[in-house]
């Protein structure tokens, strides 16, 4: 009678934590790949002796507290604003419209002007006033 136990060697490898590790690696690479911007090209640009700054022409549209519209300080009605603006930007290459809207006005007037700019495909920038800090003690 053979009473000795036979020891079986097991070649099993525990892979239950492998799923967690692979998930964290995939998550890490996804996050890192969104931070890398492949479109950035670092260039050392040449110098020029006769450099000239290109000034883009700005057009001012102002709306005062009474709701009156002004195109480059000339009064215009709200119904004629689109046609006057299209005439003003007719010969310009890349016009930029600076919006100066009174803070007490309804937002709808600003949205109406932005819709006009969208229809005319004009870049619009809203002018703001720098906030003054409280008195320092």
């Amino acid at each position: 009678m053979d009473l000795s136990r036979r020891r079986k060697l097991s070649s099993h490898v525990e892979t239950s934590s492998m799923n967690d590790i692979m998930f964290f690696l995939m998550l890490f690479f996804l996050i890192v790949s969104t931070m890398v911007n492949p479109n950035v090209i670092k260039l050392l640009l040449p110098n020029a002796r006769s450099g000239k700054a290109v000034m883009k022409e700005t057009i001012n549209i102002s709306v005062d507290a009474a709701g009156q519209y002004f195109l480059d300080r000339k009064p215009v009605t709200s119904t004629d604003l689109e046609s006057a603006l299209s005439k003003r930007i007719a010969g310009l290459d890349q016009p930029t419209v600076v919006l100066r809207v009174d803070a007490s006005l309804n937002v709808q007037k600003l949205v109406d002007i932005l819709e006009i700019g969208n229809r005319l495909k004009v870049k619009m920038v809203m002018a703001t006033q720098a906030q003054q800090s409280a008195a320092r003690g």
Side-chain angles (χ1 to χ4, degrees):
M1 194 188 296
D2 189 17
L3 295 175
S4 66
R5 294 183 185 173
R6 293 185 181 182
R7 293 187 181 183
K8 295 183 180 179
L9 295 175
S10 175
S11 63
H12 181 70
V13 176
E14 291 294 324
T15 59
S16 60
S17 64
M18 185 69 76
N19 292 334
D20 295 335
I21 293 171
M22 293 306 290
F23 174 74
F24 284 121
L25 282 174
M26 183 183 69
L27 187 65
F28 172 75
F29 286 121
L30 282 174
I31 291 172
V32 169
S33 67
T34 58
M35 291 181 186
V36 176
N37 191 353
N39 296 330
V40 176
I41 300 173
K42 294 183 181 180
L43 296 174
L44 181 61
L45 297 176
N47 294 328
R49 290 191 181 133
S50 63
K52 185 176 14 172
V54 177
M55 295 295 290
K56 293 182 181 177
E57 179 130 12
T58 59
I59 301 167
N60 293 312
I61 295 178
S62 304
V63 184
D64 63 2
Q68 297 174 337
Y69 291 85
F70 298 92
L71 179 64
D72 286 335
R73 297 183 183 177
K74 295 176 186 170
V76 74
T77 62
S78 61
T79 56
D80 295 334
L81 181 63
E82 185 171 2
S83 62
L85 183 60
S86 65
K87 288 177 186 175
R88 178 72 174 86
I89 65 171
L92 302 178
D93 185 30
Q94 293 179 343
T96 302
V97 176
V98 178
L99 299 175
R100 300 175 189 277
V101 181
D102 193 86
S104 64
L105 283 178
N106 188 349
V107 179
Q108 187 61 46
K109 293 194 184 279
L110 175 64
V111 171
D112 292 340
I113 297 171
L114 290 174
E115 285 179 354
I116 291 171
N118 192 23
R119 282 193 297 266
L120 296 175
K121 295 182 179 20
V122 176
K123 179 180 176 184
M124 293 193 147
V125 179
M126 185 171 172
T128 59
Q129 186 175 16
Q131 192 175 27
Q132 296 179 2
S133 60
R136 296 180 185 165

Coordinates of all heavy atoms in Angstrom, one line a residue, residues 26-105:
M26 N -4.8 51.9 -19.5 CA -5.5 52.5 -20.6 C -6.0 53.9 -20.2 O -5.9 54.9 -21.0 CB -6.7 51.6 -20.9 CG -7.5 52.1 -22.1 SD -8.9 51.1 -22.5 CE -10.0 51.5 -21.1
L27 N -6.5 54.1 -19.0 CA -7.0 55.4 -18.6 C -5.9 56.4 -18.5 O -6.0 57.5 -19.0 CB -7.6 55.2 -17.2 CG -8.3 56.5 -16.6 CD1 -9.5 56.8 -17.5 CD2 -8.8 56.2 -15.2
F28 N -4.7 56.0 -18.0 CA -3.5 56.9 -18.0 C -3.1 57.3 -19.4 O -2.9 58.5 -19.6 CB -2.4 56.1 -17.3 CG -1.1 56.9 -17.3 CD1 -0.9 58.0 -16.5 CD2 -0.1 56.5 -18.2 CE1 0.3 58.7 -16.6 CE2 1.1 57.2 -18.3 CZ 1.3 58.3 -17.5
F29 N -3.1 56.4 -20.3 CA -2.7 56.8 -21.7 C -3.7 57.6 -22.4 O -3.4 58.5 -23.2 CB -2.3 55.5 -22.5 CG -1.0 54.9 -22.1 CD1 -1.0 53.6 -21.7 CD2 0.2 55.6 -22.2 CE1 0.2 53.0 -21.3 CE2 1.4 55.1 -21.9 CZ 1.4 53.8 -21.4
L30 N -5.0 57.4 -22.1 CA -6.0 58.3 -22.7 C -5.9 59.7 -22.1 O -6.0 60.7 -22.9 CB -7.4 57.8 -22.4 CG -7.8 56.6 -23.2 CD1 -9.2 56.1 -22.7 CD2 -8.0 57.0 -24.7
I31 N -5.6 59.9 -20.9 CA -5.5 61.2 -20.3 C -4.3 61.9 -20.8 O -4.3 63.1 -21.2 CB -5.5 61.1 -18.7 CG1 -6.9 60.7 -18.2 CG2 -5.1 62.5 -18.1 CD1 -7.0 60.4 -16.8
V32 N -3.2 61.2 -20.8 CA -1.9 61.8 -21.3 C -2.0 62.1 -22.8 O -1.5 63.2 -23.2 CB -0.7 60.8 -21.0 CG1 0.5 61.3 -21.7 CG2 -0.5 60.7 -19.5
S33 N -2.7 61.3 -23.6 CA -2.7 61.6 -25.0 C -3.6 62.9 -25.3 O -3.4 63.5 -26.3 CB -3.3 60.4 -25.8 OG -4.6 60.2 -25.4
T34 N -4.5 63.2 -24.4 CA -5.3 64.4 -24.6 C -4.5 65.7 -24.2 O -4.8 66.8 -24.7 CB -6.6 64.4 -23.8 OG1 -6.3 64.2 -22.5 CG2 -7.5 63.3 -24.3
M35 N -3.5 65.5 -23.4 CA -2.7 66.7 -23.0 C -1.7 67.0 -24.0 O -1.2 68.2 -24.1 CB -2.0 66.4 -21.6 CG -3.0 66.3 -20.5 SD -2.1 66.0 -19.0 CE -3.4 65.8 -17.9
V36 N -1.3 66.1 -24.8 CA -0.2 66.3 -25.8 C -0.9 67.0 -27.0 O -1.9 66.5 -27.6 CB 0.5 65.0 -26.2 CG1 1.5 65.2 -27.3 CG2 1.1 64.4 -25.0
N37 N -0.3 68.1 -27.5 CA -0.9 68.8 -28.6 C 0.1 68.6 -29.8 O 1.2 69.2 -29.8 CB -1.0 70.3 -28.3 CG -1.8 71.0 -29.4 OD1 -2.1 70.4 -30.4 ND2 -2.1 72.2 -29.1
P38 N -0.2 67.7 -30.7 CA 0.7 67.5 -31.8 C 0.8 68.6 -32.8 O 1.7 68.7 -33.7 CB 0.2 66.2 -32.5 CG -1.3 66.3 -32.2 CD -1.4 66.9 -30.9
N39 N -0.1 69.6 -32.8 CA -0.2 70.7 -33.7 C 0.8 71.8 -33.4 O 0.9 72.8 -34.1 CB -1.6 71.2 -33.9 CG -2.5 70.2 -34.4 OD1 -2.1 69.3 -35.2 ND2 -3.8 70.3 -34.0
V40 N 1.5 71.8 -32.3 CA 2.4 72.8 -31.8 C 3.7 72.6 -32.5 O 4.3 71.5 -32.4 CB 2.5 72.9 -30.3 CG1 3.5 73.9 -29.9 CG2 1.2 73.2 -29.7
I41 N 4.1 73.6 -33.2 CA 5.5 73.5 -33.9 C 6.2 74.7 -33.4 O 5.8 75.9 -33.5 CB 5.3 73.6 -35.4 CG1 4.5 72.4 -35.9 CG2 6.7 73.6 -36.1 CD1 4.2 72.5 -37.4
K42 N 7.4 74.4 -32.8 CA 8.2 75.5 -32.3 C 9.1 76.0 -33.4 O 9.9 75.2 -34.0 CB 9.0 75.0 -31.1 CG 8.2 74.7 -29.9 CD 9.0 74.3 -28.7 CE 8.1 73.9 -27.5 NZ 8.9 73.5 -26.4
L43 N 9.1 77.3 -33.6 CA 9.8 77.9 -34.7 C 10.6 79.1 -34.2 O 10.1 79.8 -33.3 CB 8.9 78.3 -35.9 CG 8.2 77.3 -36.6 CD1 7.2 77.9 -37.6 CD2 9.1 76.3 -37.3
L44 N 11.8 79.2 -34.7 CA 12.5 80.5 -34.5 C 12.4 81.3 -35.7 O 13.0 81.0 -36.8 CB 14.0 80.1 -34.2 CG 14.9 81.3 -33.9 CD1 14.4 82.0 -32.7 CD2 16.3 80.9 -33.7
L45 N 11.6 82.3 -35.6 CA 11.2 83.1 -36.8 C 12.4 84.1 -37.1 O 13.1 84.6 -36.2 CB 9.9 83.9 -36.6 CG 8.7 83.0 -36.4 CD1 7.5 83.9 -36.0 CD2 8.4 82.2 -37.6
P46 N 12.6 84.4 -38.4 CA 13.6 85.3 -38.8 C 13.3 86.8 -38.4 O 12.1 87.1 -38.3 CB 13.7 85.2 -40.3 CG 12.4 84.7 -40.7 CD 11.9 83.8 -39.5
N47 N 14.3 87.6 -38.3 CA 14.1 89.0 -38.0 C 14.0 89.8 -39.3 O 14.6 89.4 -40.3 CB 15.3 89.5 -37.2 CG 15.4 88.9 -35.8 OD1 14.4 88.5 -35.2 ND2 16.6 88.7 -35.3
A48 N 13.3 90.9 -39.2 CA 13.2 91.8 -40.3 C 13.5 93.2 -39.9 O 13.1 93.6 -38.8 CB 11.8 91.8 -40.9
R49 N 14.2 93.9 -40.7 CA 14.6 95.3 -40.3 C 13.5 96.3 -40.5 O 13.3 97.2 -39.7 CB 15.8 95.7 -41.2 CG 17.0 95.0 -40.8 CD 18.3 95.6 -41.4 NE 19.4 94.9 -41.1 CZ 20.4 94.5 -41.9 NH1 20.3 94.8 -43.2 NH2 21.4 93.8 -41.4
S50 N 12.7 96.1 -41.5 CA 11.5 97.0 -41.8 C 10.2 96.3 -41.4 O 9.4 96.0 -42.3 CB 11.6 97.4 -43.2 OG 11.4 96.3 -44.1
G51 N 10.0 96.1 -40.2 CA 8.8 95.4 -39.7 C 7.7 96.4 -39.7 O 7.8 97.6 -39.2
K52 N 6.5 96.0 -40.1 CA 5.3 96.9 -40.1 C 4.2 96.2 -39.5 O 3.9 95.1 -39.9 CB 5.0 97.3 -41.5 CG 3.9 98.4 -41.6 CD 3.5 98.9 -42.9 CE 4.0 98.3 -44.1 NZ 3.4 98.8 -45.4
A53 N 3.6 96.7 -38.5 CA 2.4 96.1 -37.9 C 1.2 96.3 -38.7 O 0.9 97.4 -39.2 CB 2.2 96.7 -36.5
V54 N 0.4 95.2 -38.9 CA -0.8 95.3 -39.7 C -1.9 95.7 -38.7 O -2.2 94.9 -37.8 CB -1.1 94.0 -40.4 CG1 -2.4 94.1 -41.1 CG2 0.1 93.6 -41.3
M55 N -2.6 96.8 -38.9 CA -3.7 97.2 -38.1 C -5.0 96.8 -38.7 O -5.3 97.1 -39.9 CB -3.7 98.7 -37.9 CG -2.4 99.3 -37.2 SD -2.3 98.7 -35.5 CE -3.7 99.7 -34.8
K56 N -5.7 96.1 -37.9 CA -7.1 95.7 -38.4 C -8.0 96.9 -38.1 O -7.9 97.5 -37.0 CB -7.6 94.4 -37.7 CG -6.8 93.2 -38.0 CD -7.3 92.0 -37.3 CE -6.5 90.8 -37.7 NZ -7.0 89.6 -37.0
E57 N -8.9 97.1 -39.0 CA -9.8 98.2 -38.8 C -10.9 97.8 -37.8 O -11.5 96.8 -38.0 CB -10.4 98.7 -40.1 CG -11.4 99.8 -40.0 CD -11.1 100.9 -41.0 OE1 -10.3 100.7 -41.9 OE2 -11.7 101.9 -40.8
T58 N -11.2 98.7 -36.9 CA -12.2 98.4 -35.9 C -13.4 99.3 -36.1 O -13.2 100.5 -36.5 CB -11.7 98.6 -34.4 OG1 -11.3 99.9 -34.3 CG2 -10.7 97.6 -34.1
I59 N -14.6 98.8 -35.9 CA -15.8 99.5 -36.1 C -16.5 99.5 -34.7 O -16.6 98.4 -34.1 CB -16.7 98.9 -37.2 CG1 -16.0 98.9 -38.5 CG2 -18.0 99.6 -37.3 CD1 -16.6 98.0 -39.6
N60 N -17.0 100.6 -34.3 CA -17.6 100.7 -33.0 C -19.1 100.8 -33.1 O -19.6 101.6 -33.9 CB -17.1 101.9 -32.2 CG -15.7 101.8 -31.8 OD1 -15.2 100.8 -31.3 ND2 -14.9 102.9 -32.1
I61 N -19.8 99.9 -32.4 CA -21.2 100.0 -32.2 C -21.5 100.2 -30.8 O -21.1 99.4 -29.9 CB -21.9 98.7 -32.7 CG1 -21.7 98.5 -34.2 CG2 -23.4 98.7 -32.4 CD1 -22.4 97.2 -34.7
S62 N -22.2 101.3 -30.5 CA -22.6 101.7 -29.1 C -24.1 101.7 -28.9 O -24.8 102.1 -29.8 CB -22.0 103.0 -28.7 OG -20.6 103.0 -29.0
V63 N -24.5 101.3 -27.7 CA -25.9 101.4 -27.4 C -25.9 102.0 -26.0 O -25.4 101.5 -25.0 CB -26.6 100.0 -27.3 CG1 -28.1 100.2 -27.0 CG2 -26.4 99.3 -28.6
D64 N -26.6 103.2 -25.9 CA -26.6 103.9 -24.6 C -27.7 103.4 -23.7 O -28.5 102.5 -24.1 CB -26.6 105.4 -24.8 CG -27.9 105.9 -25.5 OD1 -28.8 105.1 -25.8 OD2 -28.0 107.1 -25.7
A65 N -27.9 104.0 -22.6 CA -28.9 103.6 -21.6 C -30.3 103.8 -22.1 O -31.2 103.1 -21.7 CB -28.7 104.3 -20.3
A66 N -30.5 104.8 -23.0 CA -31.8 105.0 -23.5 C -32.2 104.1 -24.7 O -33.3 104.1 -25.2 CB -31.9 106.5 -24.0
G67 N -31.2 103.2 -25.1 CA -31.5 102.3 -26.2 C -31.2 102.8 -27.6 O -31.6 102.3 -28.6
Q68 N -30.5 104.0 -27.7 CA -30.1 104.5 -29.0 C -28.8 103.9 -29.5 O -27.9 103.7 -28.7 CB -29.9 106.0 -28.8 CG -31.2 106.8 -28.4 CD -30.9 108.2 -28.2 OE1 -29.8 108.6 -27.9 NE2 -31.9 109.1 -28.2
Y69 N -28.8 103.6 -30.8 CA -27.7 102.9 -31.4 C -26.8 103.9 -32.1 O -27.3 104.9 -32.7 CB -28.2 101.9 -32.5 CG -28.9 100.7 -31.9 CD1 -30.3 100.8 -31.6 CD2 -28.2 99.5 -31.7 CE1 -30.9 99.7 -31.1 CE2 -28.9 98.4 -31.2 CZ -30.2 98.5 -30.8 OH -30.9 97.4 -30.3
F70 N -25.5 103.7 -32.0 CA -24.5 104.5 -32.7 C -23.5 103.6 -33.4 O -23.0 102.7 -32.9 CB -23.8 105.4 -31.7 CG -24.7 106.3 -30.9 CD1 -25.2 105.9 -29.7 CD2 -24.9 107.6 -31.4 CE1 -26.0 106.8 -29.0 CE2 -25.7 108.4 -30.7 CZ -26.3 108.0 -29.5
L71 N -23.3 104.0 -34.7 CA -22.3 103.3 -35.5 C -21.1 104.2 -35.7 O -21.3 105.2 -36.5 CB -22.9 102.8 -36.8 CG -21.9 102.0 -37.8 CD1 -21.4 100.7 -37.1 CD2 -22.6 101.7 -39.1
D72 N -20.0 104.0 -35.1 CA -18.9 104.9 -35.1 C -19.3 106.4 -34.8 O -19.1 107.3 -35.5 CB -18.2 104.9 -36.5 CG -17.4 103.7 -36.7 OD1 -16.9 103.1 -35.7 OD2 -17.2 103.3 -37.9
R73 N -20.0 106.5 -33.7 CA -20.5 107.7 -33.1 C -21.5 108.5 -33.9 O -21.9 109.6 -33.6 CB -19.3 108.7 -32.8 CG -18.4 108.1 -31.8 CD -17.3 109.1 -31.5 NE -16.3 108.5 -30.5 CZ -15.3 109.1 -30.1 NH1 -15.0 110.3 -30.5 NH2 -14.5 108.5 -29.3
K74 N -22.1 107.8 -34.9 CA -23.1 108.4 -35.7 C -24.4 107.7 -35.3 O -24.5 106.4 -35.4 CB -22.9 108.2 -37.2 CG -21.7 109.0 -37.7 CD -21.4 108.7 -39.1 CE -20.1 109.4 -39.5 NZ -19.7 109.0 -40.9
P75 N -25.5 108.4 -35.0 CA -26.7 107.8 -34.6 C -27.4 107.0 -35.8 O -27.3 107.4 -36.9 CB -27.6 108.9 -34.2 CG -26.9 110.1 -34.4 CD -25.6 109.8 -34.9
V76 N -27.9 105.8 -35.4 CA -28.5 105.0 -36.4 C -29.7 104.3 -35.7 O -29.6 104.0 -34.5 CB -27.5 104.0 -37.1 CG1 -27.1 102.9 -36.1 CG2 -28.0 103.4 -38.4
T77 N -30.7 104.0 -36.5 CA -31.9 103.3 -35.8 C -31.6 101.8 -35.8 O -30.7 101.3 -36.5 CB -33.2 103.5 -36.6 OG1 -33.0 103.0 -38.0 CG2 -33.5 105.0 -36.7
S78 N -32.3 101.1 -35.0 CA -32.1 99.6 -34.8 C -32.4 98.9 -36.1 O -31.8 97.8 -36.4 CB -32.9 99.1 -33.6 OG -34.3 99.3 -33.8
T79 N -33.4 99.4 -36.8 CA -33.8 98.7 -38.1 C -32.8 99.0 -39.2 O -32.6 98.1 -40.1 CB -35.2 99.2 -38.6 OG1 -35.1 100.6 -38.7 CG2 -36.2 98.8 -37.6
D80 N -32.1 100.1 -39.2 CA -31.1 100.4 -40.2 C -29.7 100.0 -39.8 O -28.7 100.2 -40.6 CB -31.1 101.9 -40.5 CG -32.4 102.4 -41.1 OD1 -33.1 101.6 -41.7 OD2 -32.7 103.6 -40.9
L81 N -29.5 99.4 -38.7 CA -28.2 99.0 -38.2 C -27.5 98.0 -39.1 O -26.3 98.1 -39.5 CB -28.2 98.5 -36.8 CG -26.9 98.1 -36.2 CD1 -26.0 99.3 -36.0 CD2 -27.1 97.5 -34.8
E82 N -28.2 97.0 -39.5 CA -27.6 95.9 -40.4 C -27.2 96.5 -41.7 O -26.1 96.2 -42.2 CB -28.6 94.8 -40.6 CG -28.0 93.6 -41.3 CD -28.9 92.4 -41.3 OE1 -30.0 92.4 -40.8 OE2 -28.5 91.4 -41.9
S83 N -28.0 97.3 -42.4 CA -27.6 97.8 -43.7 C -26.5 98.8 -43.5 O -25.5 98.8 -44.4 CB -28.8 98.5 -44.4 OG -29.3 99.6 -43.6
A84 N -26.5 99.6 -42.5 CA -25.4 100.6 -42.3 C -24.1 99.9 -42.0 O -23.0 100.3 -42.5 CB -25.7 101.5 -41.1
L85 N -24.1 98.8 -41.2 CA -22.9 98.0 -40.9 C -22.4 97.3 -42.1 O -21.2 97.3 -42.4 CB -23.2 97.0 -39.8 CG -22.0 96.2 -39.3 CD1 -20.9 97.1 -38.7 CD2 -22.5 95.2 -38.2
S86 N -23.3 96.8 -43.0 CA -22.8 96.1 -44.2 C -22.2 97.1 -45.1 O -21.2 96.7 -45.8 CB -24.0 95.3 -44.8 OG -24.9 96.3 -45.3
K87 N -22.7 98.3 -45.2 CA -22.0 99.3 -46.0 C -20.7 99.7 -45.5 O -19.7 99.9 -46.2 CB -22.9 100.6 -46.1 CG -24.2 100.4 -47.0 CD -25.0 101.7 -46.9 CE -26.3 101.4 -47.7 NZ -27.2 102.6 -47.5
R88 N -20.6 99.7 -44.1 CA -19.3 100.2 -43.5 C -18.2 99.1 -43.7 O -17.1 99.5 -43.8 CB -19.6 100.4 -42.0 CG -18.4 100.8 -41.2 CD -18.0 102.2 -41.5 NE -17.0 102.6 -40.6 CZ -15.6 102.4 -40.8 NH1 -15.2 101.7 -41.8 NH2 -14.8 102.8 -39.9
I89 N -18.6 97.8 -43.7 CA -17.5 96.8 -43.8 C -17.3 96.4 -45.3 O -16.5 95.5 -45.5 CB -17.9 95.6 -43.0 CG1 -19.2 94.9 -43.5 CG2 -18.1 95.9 -41.5 CD1 -19.5 93.6 -42.9
A90 N -17.9 97.0 -46.2 CA -17.9 96.6 -47.6 C -16.5 96.5 -48.1 O -16.1 95.4 -48.8 CB -18.7 97.6 -48.5
G91 N -15.6 97.4 -48.0 CA -14.3 97.3 -48.6 C -13.2 96.8 -47.6 O -12.0 96.8 -48.0
L92 N -13.5 96.4 -46.4 CA -12.5 96.1 -45.4 C -12.2 94.6 -45.5 O -13.0 93.8 -45.9 CB -13.0 96.4 -44.0 CG -13.4 97.8 -43.8 CD1 -13.9 98.0 -42.4 CD2 -12.2 98.7 -44.0
D93 N -10.9 94.3 -45.2 CA -10.4 92.9 -45.4 C -10.9 92.1 -44.2 O -11.5 91.0 -44.4 CB -8.9 92.9 -45.4 CG -8.3 91.5 -45.7 OD1 -9.0 90.7 -46.3 OD2 -7.2 91.3 -45.2
Q94 N -10.5 92.4 -43.0 CA -10.9 91.7 -41.8 C -11.4 92.7 -40.7 O -10.7 93.0 -39.8 CB -9.7 90.9 -41.2 CG -9.3 89.8 -42.1 CD -8.1 89.0 -41.5 OE1 -7.4 89.6 -40.6 NE2 -7.8 87.9 -42.0
P95 N -12.6 93.1 -40.9 CA -13.1 94.1 -39.9 C -13.5 93.4 -38.6 O -13.9 92.3 -38.5 CB -14.4 94.6 -40.6 CG -14.9 93.5 -41.4 CD -13.6 92.8 -41.9
T96 N -13.3 94.2 -37.5 CA -13.6 93.8 -36.2 C -14.5 94.8 -35.6 O -14.3 96.0 -35.6 CB -12.3 93.7 -35.3 OG1 -11.5 92.7 -35.9 CG2 -12.7 93.2 -33.9
V97 N -15.7 94.4 -35.1 CA -16.7 95.3 -34.5 C -16.5 95.2 -33.0 O -16.6 94.1 -32.4 CB -18.1 94.8 -34.9 CG1 -19.1 95.7 -34.2 CG2 -18.2 94.9 -36.4
V98 N -16.4 96.4 -32.4 CA -16.3 96.5 -30.9 C -17.7 96.9 -30.4 O -18.2 98.0 -30.8 CB -15.2 97.5 -30.5 CG1 -15.2 97.6 -29.0 CG2 -13.9 97.1 -31.0
L99 N -18.3 96.1 -29.6 CA -19.6 96.4 -29.0 C -19.4 97.1 -27.7 O -18.8 96.6 -26.8 CB -20.4 95.1 -28.8 CG -20.7 94.3 -30.1 CD1 -21.3 93.0 -29.7 CD2 -21.5 95.0 -31.0
R100 N -20.1 98.2 -27.6 CA -20.1 99.0 -26.3 C -21.6 99.2 -25.9 O -22.2 100.0 -26.4 CB -19.4 100.4 -26.5 CG -18.0 100.2 -26.9 CD -17.4 101.6 -27.2 NE -16.1 101.5 -27.8 CZ -14.9 101.3 -27.2 NH1 -15.0 101.2 -25.9 NH2 -13.8 101.2 -27.8
V101 N -22.0 98.3 -25.0 CA -23.4 98.3 -24.6 C -23.5 98.7 -23.2 O -22.7 98.2 -22.3 CB -24.0 96.9 -24.8 CG1 -25.4 96.8 -24.4 CG2 -23.8 96.4 -26.3
D102 N -24.4 99.6 -22.9 CA -24.6 100.0 -21.5 C -25.0 98.8 -20.6 O -25.8 98.0 -21.0 CB -25.7 101.1 -21.4 CG -25.7 101.8 -20.1 OD1 -24.9 102.8 -19.9 OD2 -26.5 101.4 -19.2
A103 N -24.5 98.8 -19.4 CA -24.7 97.7 -18.5 C -26.2 97.6 -18.0 O -26.6 96.5 -17.6 CB -23.8 97.8 -17.3
S104 N -26.9 98.7 -18.0 CA -28.3 98.6 -17.6 C -29.3 98.1 -18.6 O -30.4 98.0 -18.3 CB -28.7 100.0 -17.1 OG -28.7 100.9 -18.2
L105 N -28.8 97.9 -19.8 CA -29.7 97.5 -20.9 C -30.1 96.0 -20.8 O -29.4 95.2 -20.2 CB -29.1 97.8 -22.3 CG -29.1 99.2 -22.7 CD1 -28.5 99.4 -24.0 CD2 -30.6 99.7 -22.8

